[in-house]
Amino acid sequence: MKKIGVVLSGCGVRDGSEIHEAVFALLAIDRNGAEAVCMAPNADFPETNHLTMQETGNKRNALVEAARIARGNIRDISAVQAADLDAVVLPGGFGAVKNLCDFAVKGAGATVHPEVARLLREMAAAGKPIGAICIAPAVVAMVLGKDKAPTLTIGNDAGTAAEIEKTGARHQECPVTEFVVDRANKIVSTPAYMLAHRISETYEGIDKCVKEVIALL
Amino acid sequence: MKKIGVVLSGCGVRDGSEIHEAVFALLAIDRNGAEAVCMAPNADFPETNHLTMQETGNKRNALVEAARIARGNIRDISAVQAADLDAVVLPGGFGAVKNLCDFAVKGAGATVHPEVARLLREMAAAGKPIGAICIAPAVVAMVLGKDKAPTLTIGNDAGTAAEIEKTGARHQECPVTEFVVDRANKIVSTPAYMLAHRISETYEGIDKCVKEVIALL
């Protein structure tokens, strides 16, 4: 069975992985006959109360919180190599641009978590597909933009697209229920909640994106 | 647009709502042209670390954590009346039987959170459909078992079924991708992760269960 890594960053749109996006990625992987390998960085982050949308001043841990989405079946990303995987998918949520890297604060000047950067470089070097959902294409651009100039989408937000293009990546506009595929680099991306007003739009785009990732194997 | 209440109990299978089940309920509601009205009790619960599966000794709040699944669009259940809803759905997870009631500890002798009990009684009195997923049929049995003797399912766990039947409810075995419908009481239930080994099985059962809830409107 093909193994598809799922890089999580916590559990909740404001300080971790966007939950709907992560669950739809896991569903699409299973429905396409592959096995999800959930992982997250063992890193603390500032907690946001999702009722008030305010930071609380407390910390949570990305690996411990992401374990909620993975029902406990999750690994520290530092223990995962590209050799363990056939492809990798990154759901969105602010965690992708606050915990996997600091693009949310620094834009194109962001630093990527070293283990996330290592795994993405390994996957690209091995010619293995990468799927990126919502804002997660920014992480891919930070790691691979300069060397690979990948084409990807975060929907149609001009400011975010401009920051992404500063890395060397090319941004292509895309409707919420579709995806952009860069066949040369085997990178597939879909806007999800960067554009979605309805959960079913997010579902449709992610379902197609993950199917395309698996089709590239 | 029909409004379907979704009663959450936190965010994570061990101490709150089972995340996949909650997300699939929200998806099915949207795909069937209805609107989800997320709610949870404003009540603290003991936190479980989902990586170690151990209680931490800290508390979290069911409403605040459930807001992660609802992307902030959630109400305190005490502010929701049956008149605001056309139907209600309860996802599973240990939160359903630890935070909505204490069935996980006390079985048929459990006490139900007063606002959860009130809303379910109001819904039943108004003849409005109730959907219950995974272990959540135990909550419905605790509230309505004696008066309505509803037929419902939690899959095929004999011990749990026996506790549920002590309330006056009748348990019916059911495969994971199917549902049980009690047409007289308008109660629909599906086993989800009480039986599922794969996320796609959970999805299929919940999709059918929610469709049936909406068909009963």
Side-chain angles (χ1 to χ4, degrees):
Chain A
M1 190 179 276
K2 299 292 186 184
K3 291 185 194 301
I4 315 296
V6 179
V7 182
L8 301 174
S9 59
C11 178
V13 59
R14 289 286 167 165
D15 60 10
S17 289
E18 207 299 311
I19 290 172
H20 304 183
E21 293 174 359
V23 171
F24 295 151
L26 295 176
L27 176 63
I29 289 167
D30 187 46
R31 293 183 90 184
N32 285 284
E35 180 187 344
V37 178
C38 291
M39 67 193 84
N42 185 355
D44 290 348
F45 62 83
E47 172 191 85
T48 296
N49 177 314
H50 281 58
L51 192 61
T52 62
M53 296 303 177
Q54 302 298 309
E55 287 199 7
T56 65
N58 297 324
K59 299 273 187 188
R60 290 189 177 187
N61 178 282
L63 178 59
V64 170
E65 296 309 315
R68 294 175 175 271
I69 294 173
R71 295 168 51 84
N73 187 12
I74 192 164
R75 295 163 67 184
D76 183 331
I77 192 171
S78 69
V80 181
Q81 281 79 44
D84 304 330
L85 305 174
D86 295 290
V88 71
V89 174
L90 292 82
F94 276 96
V97 284
K98 297 203 295 193
N99 306 340
L100 303 185
C101 68
D102 55 4
F103 180 88
V105 178
K106 298 190 182 163
T111 304
V112 181
H113 187 286
E115 295 295 339
V116 175
R118 172 194 57 78
L119 184 64
L120 290 178
R121 280 199 204 98
E122 285 179 12
M123 296 298 287
K128 294 183 175 180
I130 298 171
I133 295 163
C134 184
I135 191 64
V139 186
V140 177
M142 296 303 308
V143 177
L144 302 174
K146 188 177 170 192
D147 291 346
K148 304 282 186 182
T151 299
L152 36 73
T153 190
I154 49 86
N156 61 17
D157 184 76
T160 306
E163 286 304 308
I164 281 177
E165 293 212 325
K166 285 184 194 169
T167 69
R170 296 166 200 157
H171 183 266
Q172 185 175 313
E173 290 198 9
C174 179
V176 62
T177 57
E178 297 300 328
F179 60 88
V180 165
V181 56
D182 177 335
R183 293 188 186 282
N185 288 306
K186 294 193 182 172
I187 294 172
V188 190
S189 50
T190 189
Y193 278 118
M194 288 297 292
L195 290 181
H197 296 291
R198 295 175 60 176
I199 186 172
S200 55
E201 295 172 331
T202 291
Y203 167 79
E204 188 177 341
I206 292 171
D207 187 57
K208 290 177 184 172
C209 174
V210 171
K211 264 198 192 84
E212 184 67 16
V213 165
I214 291 173
L216 288 172
L217 290 180
Chain B
M1 189 178 276
K2 298 292 185 183
K3 291 185 196 299
I4 316 295
V6 178
V7 182
L8 301 173
S9 58
C11 178
V13 58
R14 291 285 168 163
D15 61 10
S17 290
E18 208 298 312
I19 290 171
H20 305 182
E21 293 174 0
V23 171
F24 295 150
L26 296 175
L27 176 63
I29 289 167
D30 187 45
R31 292 183 92 184
N32 284 283
E35 179 186 345
V37 178
C38 290
M39 67 194 84
N42 184 354
D44 290 347
F45 62 83
E47 172 192 84
T48 296
N49 176 314
H50 281 57
L51 192 61
T52 62
M53 297 304 179
Q54 302 298 309
E55 287 198 8
T56 64
N58 296 325
K59 298 274 187 187
R60 290 188 177 188
N61 179 281
L63 178 59
V64 170
E65 296 307 317
R68 293 176 175 270
I69 294 173
R71 295 169 49 84
N73 186 11
I74 192 164
R75 295 164 65 182
D76 183 331
I77 191 170
S78 69
V80 181
Q81 282 80 44
D84 304 329
L85 305 174
D86 295 290
V88 72
V89 174
L90 291 82
F94 276 97
V97 284
K98 296 203 295 193
N99 307 341
L100 302 185
C101 67
D102 55 4
F103 180 88
V105 178
K106 298 189 180 162
T111 305
V112 180
H113 187 286
E115 295 295 338
V116 175
R118 172 195 57 76
L119 184 63
L120 290 178
R121 280 199 203 98
E122 284 179 12
M123 295 299 287
K128 294 182 176 181
I130 298 171
I133 295 163
C134 185
I135 191 62
V139 186
V140 177
M142 296 304 307
V143 177
L144 301 175
K146 189 177 170 192
D147 291 346
K148 303 283 186 182
T151 298
L152 35 73
T153 192
I154 49 85
N156 61 17
D157 183 76
T160 307
E163 286 304 308
I164 281 176
E165 293 211 324
K166 285 183 192 168
T167 69
R170 296 165 200 158
H171 183 266
Q172 186 177 313
E173 290 198 9
C174 179
V176 62
T177 56
E178 295 300 327
F179 60 88
V180 165
V181 55
D182 177 335
R183 292 189 187 284
N185 288 307
K186 294 193 183 173
I187 294 172
V188 191
S189 49
T190 189
Y193 278 118
M194 288 297 291
L195 291 181
H197 296 290
R198 294 175 59 174
I199 187 172
S200 54
E201 295 172 331
T202 292
Y203 168 78
E204 188 177 341
I206 292 171
D207 187 57
K208 290 176 183 172
C209 175
V210 171
K211 264 198 191 84
E212 184 68 17
V213 165
I214 291 172
L216 288 172
L217 291 179

